[in-house]
Amino acid sequence: MAYYHNNSSGSSARYIYVNYIDGGGDNHMGENDGVSSTTDHGTGDFTVNFSTTFSNTNYAFFQGCSSENTNGNRGANGCNVKETSSKNTNSCRVVSYYGSTGSGSNGSVTSCKTTTMGFIGHLS
């Protein structure tokens, strides 16, 4: 089901989401809407390709991911846009990390078993 919203000026906003399953070589899209495909670039590094084009790169991005962490002292997992140039009107490259232990072990790139991402922005 597609989610659209028209603001007072008539611009249409679109909500795109994907539940991405990663880890163990079984990388694929789960439940999704507005996503044509995903591209795996290696551990915790992937691109979400949209089937609809946003009007600009000012769309919002949010996520939640599972923790495969077995170290109780380690910080939470999370995802970020890899770099500013990786946020395009028709795709977004994302990288997932696990947190540091706070005792000298820095966090690193990881593959979360599931990552749910949402993107909200105006259509072109």
Side-chain angles (χ1 to χ4, degrees), residues 1 3 8-10 24 30 37 44 49 55 57 66-67 82 84 89 119 121:
M1 168 190 244
Y3 298 98
S8 59
S9 66
S37 64
N49 301 296
S55 62
T57 59
S66 65
S67 177
K82 182 161 184 170
T84 305
T89 58
F119 306 86

Side-chain angles (χ1 to χ4, degrees), residues 1 16 21 31-32 38 53 59 62-63 72 80 90 112 116:
M1 168 190 244
I16 293 173
I21 293 87
E31 191 73 29
N32 69 86
T38 54
T53 302
Y59 55 83
F62 56 95
Q63 63 77 34
N80 293 309
N90 63 348
C112 298
T116 302

Side-chain angles (χ1 to χ4, degrees), residues 73-86:
N73 296 321
R74 189 168 297 287
N77 290 1
C79 291
N80 293 309
V81 173
K82 182 161 184 170
E83 52 201 30
T84 305
S85 62
S86 299

Side-chain angles (χ1 to χ4, degrees), residues 1 13 15-17 57-58 72 76-77 94 96 109-110 113 116:
M1 168 190 244
Y15 173 60
I16 293 173
Y17 69 90
T57 59
N58 296 328
N77 290 1
V94 177
S96 57
V109 175
T110 188
K113 188 61 179 164
T116 302

Side-chain angles (χ1 to χ4, degrees), residues 43-75:
T43 302
D45 184 358
F46 49 94
T47 297
V48 177
N49 301 296
F50 310 137
S51 57
T52 303
T53 302
F54 288 115
S55 62
N56 57 50
T57 59
N58 296 328
Y59 55 83
F61 164 73
F62 56 95
Q63 63 77 34
C65 62
S66 65
S67 177
E68 307 303 317
N69 176 20
T70 58
N71 182 338
N73 296 321
R74 189 168 297 287

Side-chain angles (χ1 to χ4, degrees), residues 20-27 111-113:
Y20 183 70
I21 293 87
D22 193 1
D26 181 27
N27 306 333
S111 290
C112 298
K113 188 61 179 164

